[in-house]
């Protein structure tokens, strides 16, 4: 077989134009598959990096937006709901309540309208948010409703460009009422994650000064593990549906399930585009078959001589199969190299990390070789069946 490979490459060298045209379809097919799958995988990775790793174990629950039936019950996110949720739904580590209020922050001559989030103690730590300066809320802050505030990096920078925000007093105007807050912390700048509020205050303050005994606007349910988040979404939906009589009573989402859905979508699109690109491999295979049929016709005398010298039909068939497979093997290697080069160029232009789909490289290469064998089989069988007398006569 090694001799057949050597002879095949000698024939390629003597028919460079024909060989190149035979390779073209295979190269384009393999290159397209690799570029498409690599870009799809890189896009998925980029989305994951945008969301970040924190919050993957958190499920968000809010009031539903669909019209409810007359006999349906409206849920109230109060302490009873929190207790019942713990008691009836598995895989819950902790349930966090939060509320939001629109207000105007004022310090000196600087003022800005922001959305302020009232959170419970430990909520910010749960999202793995990092402090640039100061400290988080403690249990006392939430129980007593202290007037303390934590600012995110951008908000703190706009009010305190010198970076001395901690310890300063800042005014919050909400519903025409002015409150004085002490800045106890500044969050470090973050580019990923789901929690990106401008300012945070203890939920105890919201309950005492804004809305006594409030129900939560949003419920954040922390799963016992990130991989449990997707199933927890289903469990919470089913539980709330059993309470209200309608499946649209709440809107339940998780970052983990969203990432999984996005990954499925990008994988499906990549698979579809790869299947389309693979068609060019089949077209290239048909071209190879045509070229091999012409080759068999041109080399009748060579076949006749080999048979006259004792070559069996199996030897002749193997010779042309190896030659056909060699074309696609060479095309597959060139396609992989070209695909990686183009992927590198695209990722460089987009300024994002390159992710080569190794599995796609292997599959496209193996498929290209299979195409060569499959479409080379008919010409090889024709060559093996040639009568040596007719072949030597050149007819």
């Amino acid at each position: 077989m090694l001799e057949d490979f050597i002879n095949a490459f000698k024939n390629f060298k003597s028919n460079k134009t024909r060989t190149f045209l035979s390779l073209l379809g295979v190269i384009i097919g393999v290159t397209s598959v690799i570029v498409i799958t690599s870009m799809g995988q890189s896009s998925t990775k980029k989305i994951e990096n945008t969301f970040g790793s924190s919050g993957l174990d958190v499920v968000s629950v809010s009031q539903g937006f669909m019209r409810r039936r007359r006999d349906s019950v409206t849920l109230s996110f109060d302490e009873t709901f929190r207790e019942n949720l713990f008691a009836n739904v598995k895989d819950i580590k902790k349930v966090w309540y939060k509320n939001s209020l629109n207000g105007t922050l004022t310090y000196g001559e600087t003022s800005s309208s922001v959305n302020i989030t009232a959170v419970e103690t430990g909520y910010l730590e749960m999202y793995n948010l990092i402090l640039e300066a100061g400290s988080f809320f403690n249990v006392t802050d939430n129980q007593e409703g202290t007037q303390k505030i934590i600012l995110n990096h951008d908000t703190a920078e706009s009010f305190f460009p010198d970076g001395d925000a901690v310890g300063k007093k800042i005014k919050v105007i909400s519903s025409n009422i002015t409150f004085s807050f002490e800045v106890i912390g500044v969050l470090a700048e973050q580019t990923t994650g789901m929690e990106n509020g401008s300012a945070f205050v203890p939920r105890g303050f919201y309950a005492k000064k804004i809305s006594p005994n409030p129900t939560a606007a949003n419920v954040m349910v922390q799963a016992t593990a990130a991989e449990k988040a997707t199933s927890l979404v289903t469990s919470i939906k089913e539980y709330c549906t059993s309470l209200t009589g309608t499946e649209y009573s709440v809107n339940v989402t998780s970052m983990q399930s969203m990432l999984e859905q996005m990954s499925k979508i990008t994988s499906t699109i990549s698979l579809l585009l790869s299947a389309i690109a693979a068609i060019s491999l089949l077209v290239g295979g048909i071209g190879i078959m045509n070229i091999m049929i012409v080759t068999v016709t041109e080399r009748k005398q060579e076949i006749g001589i080999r048979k006259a010298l004792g070559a069996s039909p199996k030897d002749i068939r193997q010779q042309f199969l190896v030659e056909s497979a060699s074309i696609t093997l060479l095309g597959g290697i060139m396609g992989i190299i070209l695909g990686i080069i183009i992927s590198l160029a695209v990722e460089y232009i987009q300024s994002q990390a390159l992710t080569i789909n190794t599995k796609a490289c292997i599959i496209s290469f193996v498929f290209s070789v299979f195409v060569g064998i499959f479409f080379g089989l008919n010409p090889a069988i024709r060559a093996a069946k040639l009568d040596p007398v007719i072949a030597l006569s050149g007819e």
Side-chain angles (χ1 to χ4, degrees):
M1 187 175 285
L2 179 60
E3 186 180 347
D4 291 329
F5 270 110
I6 295 170
N7 290 331
F9 282 100
K10 284 181 180 178
N11 289 325
F12 297 159
K13 193 174 180 181
S14 59
N15 296 283
K16 294 176 183 176
T17 304
R18 181 189 295 177
T19 302
F20 175 74
L21 294 174
S22 300
L23 288 170
L24 205 54
V26 178
I27 293 172
I28 292 172
V30 174
T31 300
S32 301
V33 170
I34 290 171
V35 171
I36 290 168
T37 53
S38 295
M39 288 181 66
Q41 194 163 314
S42 296
S43 298
T44 302
K45 206 74 176 175
K46 188 175 182 180
I47 292 170
E48 290 175 353
N49 292 336
T50 299
F51 280 100
S53 58
S54 63
L56 291 178
D57 58 345
V58 179
V59 175
S60 173
V61 184
S62 59
Q63 293 291 347
F65 298 104
M66 302 297 290
R67 182 175 294 177
R68 302 178 180 87
R69 300 199 315 263
R70 290 183 180 179
D71 59 343
S72 63
V73 178
T74 301
L75 284 176
S76 293
F77 297 145
D78 51 19
E79 290 306 315
T80 301
F81 176 80
R82 187 186 334 227
E83 292 171 6
N84 290 336
L85 195 64
F86 257 118
N88 293 279
V89 180
K90 295 179 180 179
D91 301 322
I92 294 178
K93 182 178 181 181
K94 193 158 185 178
V95 178
W96 309 85
Y97 278 9
K98 72 174 185 177
N99 293 85
S100 297
L101 64 148
N102 292 318
T104 301
L105 295 183
T106 302
Y107 181 78
E109 297 181 357
T110 306
S111 64
S112 177
S113 296
V114 299
N115 183 264
I116 302 169
T117 308
V119 299
E120 296 177 325
T121 304
Y123 174 83
L124 299 176
E125 295 95 308
M126 182 261 296
Y127 272 105
N128 294 324
L129 297 179
I130 300 170
L131 283 170
E132 188 177 280
S135 60
F136 288 112
F137 301 123
N138 57 39
V139 176
T140 303
D141 292 329
N142 193 60
Q143 288 178 342
E144 297 183 0
T146 56
Q147 291 178 207
K148 296 179 180 180
I149 193 169
I150 295 174
L151 307 176
N152 75 1
H153 175 83
D154 293 338
T155 304
E157 194 173 59
S158 61
F159 282 92
F160 307 97
D162 295 332
D164 54 350
V166 177
K168 297 294 176 63
K169 298 287 185 179
I170 191 168
K171 292 180 180 179
V172 175
I173 303 172
S174 178
S175 301
N176 296 320
I177 302 175
T178 301
F179 300 94
S180 178
F181 279 83
E182 178 188 355
V183 180
I184 64 165
V186 175
L187 297 176
E189 187 174 12
Q190 62 181 93
T191 56
T192 64
M194 293 291 286
E195 184 53 76
N196 54 2
S198 299
F200 301 89
V201 298
R203 189 166 182 268
F205 162 80
Y206 184 90
K208 292 177 183 295
K209 305 292 178 66
I210 304 297
S211 178
N213 301 314
T215 57
N218 295 93
V219 179
M220 313 305 289
V221 182
Q222 187 178 17
T224 52
E227 56 269 20
K228 300 281 188 180
T230 302
S231 61
L232 188 57
V233 169
T234 304
S235 299
I236 293 173
K237 280 183 179 178
E238 291 175 351
Y239 172 68
C240 292
T241 300
S242 69
L243 291 177
T244 61
T246 173
E247 59 182 317
Y248 304 119
S249 59
V250 291
N251 182 35
V252 187
T253 59
S254 77
M255 190 162 67
Q256 179 70 24
S257 60
M258 284 191 290
L259 282 173
E260 289 176 3
Q261 289 173 2
M262 288 179 187
S263 180
K264 286 179 181 177
I265 291 169
T266 53
S267 296
T268 302
I269 293 172
S270 295
L271 183 62
L272 178 63
L273 294 175
S274 297
I276 294 171
I279 293 174
S280 64
L281 279 173
L282 296 176
V283 174
I286 294 170
I288 289 170
M289 183 171 66
N290 291 334
I291 293 295
M292 292 305 295
I293 289 172
V294 172
T295 302
V296 169
T297 304
E298 288 179 347
R299 293 162 61 183
K300 276 185 177 181
Q301 289 191 337
E302 177 192 329
I303 295 168
I305 293 170
R306 288 198 66 189
K307 282 198 167 187
L309 292 174
S312 65
K314 181 183 177 182
D315 294 330
I316 301 298
R317 185 169 60 249
Q318 179 178 289
Q319 176 190 351
F320 284 91
L321 271 178
V322 167
E323 192 165 322
S324 176
S326 298
I327 293 176
T328 50
L329 186 145
L330 184 61
I333 293 171
M334 293 174 70
I336 290 172
I337 295 170
L338 185 60
I340 293 173
I341 291 171
I342 293 175
S343 298
L344 282 167
V346 171
E347 302 304 331
Y348 176 77
I349 292 169
Q350 293 183 345
S351 301
Q352 67 183 57
L354 172 70
T355 306
I356 296 296
N357 193 324
T358 308
K359 188 177 179 181
C361 292
I362 296 171
I363 291 174
S364 59
F365 176 75
V366 171
F367 184 66
S368 66
V369 175
F370 171 77
V371 165
I373 295 172
F374 179 79
F375 285 99
L377 191 60
N378 181 269
I381 291 173
R382 286 191 181 192
K385 287 182 178 180
L386 278 176
D387 187 295
V389 177
I390 296 174
L392 286 170
S393 66
E395 296 178 4

